[in-house]
């Protein structure tokens, strides 16, 4: 907590800064740390009409917090089990995930409800005792891992009248045992991704699960949200993840394609042949240029190593710099396996007009939403969603924006697409509300175009509107039945998914007892 920003994402020592009127990034945690970013100011001006030479608005640390409604006697009872805090900042920092709405509430001091206490169990027995205590005293528990949720799943239900306890799993961060023969490990739920991976590596193993948030997200959070990591092609998503032995070689690479359509056709063929390397991502042209804005040298796009390469791609291959797109690759295995895979991928790329592009591009951005979609609908879905976003901007007189997408995971039947969206909100009375309306419109369009409501971030509160449509009323009621059986007192009343509305034939008791 001491290392992190209280008002948003990331470490306190990591931020963009102007030094001698040049954009730089502070700290030494990341590759761009301490480096000059010569393209960033121009990019921000062109895309968002933003003047980054103006100092950013950093909110002042709040001095007052909503009072805790946890009765003193119950606090004492919890304290007899594990560490407890009712300090305002501890509670505020565990009241939100990372959606725009939540971060905006945090920065503006408008968080509608925060937990009444935070409790830090160290083991399973203590968790059981806390749940028992909550059951006896009618408390609500919200498990809190890394707080990186992007579905609103950890925000406190506004109208909850019972005291809410955030069960912070960060003290449950040990590897309990590792069976090197069976390649199995038992690990406590609160371990943070980067710590788990580091610890496994010291033992000669890897977890292989690396969601982009793995600096902060936890094992328990991954399981609860069915997370998907960038190396899923080798190690699987969290639900089918197995421990593997240490790899001999890791190599990054990239391929450049004349346009998005060619890139998607390439990805589809690679999936059909089941030749995906550990990670394979397709970046559209906007994303490629955004990556360029975060490059530290005066290179062209970073992935295209030098002037000669640029010349080859634009003059000889005649790729249009305004349309080309890039596939980034991460290959793991023995030296021979990696070389073999690279050559197979290069051959397939050539069939779709692609050429090798050299070292990997940066992976930065901010997500609007993502979806999984069958292959045959992929191109239309991307086109429709981008068009819908542009229309929504036009209807609101938003003239500076970035709309971009990235294809991140591939399967036999389809793929996962992330959409990225940012805009200059100047002149809008309620930018967060407008963003949410635009996001909703984009999601409607995604579903109408054959996409799903979620690939790996869960449903939470953000996507609950579409849940019944996706799983049917019968599916929803099955989930309600499971929830009420497992949690009859509705202690885990996070109010996620569509479980608070009664289905046909459900009585009032069903309403009260069906929140998840
Ligand atoms: C910049 C960024 C990049 C991201 N990249 C990815 C990505 O590549 N892949 C991906 O899948 N997701 C990604 N996410 C989303 C998020 O990181 C995942 O959903 C992650 O699994 C959440 O883990 P967490 O520990 O932060 O959980 P939290 O945000 O703390 O909690 C999420 C949900 O899990 C529940 N929960 C947490 N711990 C437990 C537990 N021990 N027992 C029961 N329930 C629990 C919470 O109550 C809540 O409902 C990203 C998010 C951000 C902000």
């Amino acid at each position: 907590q001491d290392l992190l920003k209280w008002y948003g994402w990331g470490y306190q020592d990591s931020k963009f800064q102007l030094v001698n009127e040049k954009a730089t990034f502070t700290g030494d945690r990341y590759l761009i740390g301490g480096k000059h970013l010569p393209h960033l100011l121009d990019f921000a001006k062109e895309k968002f009409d933003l003047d980054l030479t103006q100092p950013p608005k950093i909110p002042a640390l709040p001095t007052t917090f909503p009072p805790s409604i946890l009765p003193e006697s119950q606090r004492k009872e919890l304290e007899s089990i594990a560490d407890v805090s009712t300090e305002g900042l501890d509670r505020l920092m565990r009241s939100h995930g990372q959606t725009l709405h939540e971060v905006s509430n945090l920065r503006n001091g408008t968080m509608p409800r925060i937990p009444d206490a935070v409790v830090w169990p160290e083991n399973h027995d203590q968790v059981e005792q806390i749940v028992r205590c909550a059951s006896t005293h009618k408390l609500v528990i919200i498990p809190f891992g890394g707080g990186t949720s992007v579905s609103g799943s950890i925000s406190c239900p506004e109208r909850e009248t019972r005291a809410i306890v955030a069960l912070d799993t960060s003290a449950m961060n040990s590897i309990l045992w590792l069976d090197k023969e069976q390649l199995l490990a038992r690990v406590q739920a609160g371990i943070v991704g980067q710590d788990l991976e580091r610890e496994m590596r010291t033992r000669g193993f890897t977890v292989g699960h690396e969601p982009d948030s793995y600096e902060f997200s936890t094992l328990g959070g991954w399981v609860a949200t069915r997370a998907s990591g960038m190396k899923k092609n080798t190690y699987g998503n969290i639900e089918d993840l197995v421990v593997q032995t240490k790899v001999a070689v890791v190599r990054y690479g990239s391929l450049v394609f004349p346009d998005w359509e060619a890139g998607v056709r390439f990805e589809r063929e690679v999936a059909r042949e089941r030749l995906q390397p550990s990670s394979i991502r397709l970046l559209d042209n906007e994303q490629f240029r955004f990556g360029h804005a975060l490059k530290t040298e005066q290179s062209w796009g970073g992935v295209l190593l030098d002037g000669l390469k640029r010349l080859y791609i634009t003059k000889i291959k005649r790729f249009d710099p305004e349309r080309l797109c890039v596939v980034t690759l991460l290959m793991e295995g023995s030296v021979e396996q990696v070389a073999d895979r690279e050559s197979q991928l290069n051959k397939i790329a050539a069939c779709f007009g692609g050429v090798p592009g050299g070292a990997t591009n940066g992976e930065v951005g901010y997500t609007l939403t993502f979806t999984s979609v069958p292959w045959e609908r992929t191109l239309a879905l991307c086109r429709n969603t981008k068009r819908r976003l542009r229309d929504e901007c036009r209807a609101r007189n938003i003239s500076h924006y970035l709309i971009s997408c990235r294809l991140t995971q591939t399967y036999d039947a389809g793929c996962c697409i992330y959409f990225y969206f940012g805009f200059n909100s100047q002149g809008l009375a309620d930018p967060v509300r407008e963003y949410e309306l635009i996001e909703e419109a984009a999601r409607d369009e995604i579903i109408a175009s054959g996409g799903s409501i979620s690939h790996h971030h869960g449903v939470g509160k953000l996507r609950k509107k579409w849940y019944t449509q996706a799983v049917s009323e019968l599916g929803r009621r099955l989930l309600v039945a499971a929830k009420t059986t497992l949690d009859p007192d509705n202690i885990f009343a996070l109010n996620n998914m569509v479980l608070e509305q009664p289905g046909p034939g459900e009585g009032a008791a069903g309403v009260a007892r069906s929140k998840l």
Side-chain angles (χ1 to χ4, degrees), residues 19 97 161 185 203 309 320 351 428 514:
V19 177
T161 51
R203 294 160 167 84
K309 178 70 89 182
D320 178 353
C351 300
L428 294 178
S514 62

Side-chain angles (χ1 to χ4, degrees), residues 9 96-99 127 141-155 167-169 172 188-193 209-230 237-238 281 365-367 370 406 408-409 418 455-458 460-461 492 494 496:
W9 180 258
H96 66 91
Q98 303 296 330
T99 64
V127 174
I141 293 179
I142 297 189
F144 184 93
T148 67
S149 158
V150 283
S151 65
S153 63
I154 38 179
S155 61
L167 188 155
D168 185 318
T169 58
M172 296 175 64
Q188 287 186 302
I191 197 161
V192 170
H209 185 68
E210 293 182 20
D212 289 355
S213 58
Y214 102 128
E215 274 181 293
F216 305 115
S217 57
T218 62
L219 180 60
W222 297 342
V223 174
T225 59
R226 294 187 59 181
S228 178
M230 73 161 176
N237 287 330
I238 191 67
R281 290 176 161 182
Y366 40 96
T367 308
F370 69 93
R406 181 195 286 190
T408 57
Q409 269 97 341
Y418 273 71
H455 173 265
H456 58 264
H457 288 160
K461 299 177 185 67
F492 296 92
L494 277 67
N496 293 334

Side-chain angles (χ1 to χ4, degrees), residues 297-314 357-359:
E297 306 113 33
Q298 296 282 4
S299 65
W300 186 69
V303 287
L304 311 175
L305 286 179
D306 49 34
L308 270 182
K309 178 70 89 182
R310 175 183 181 172
L311 209 65
Y312 173 67
I313 285 178
T314 55

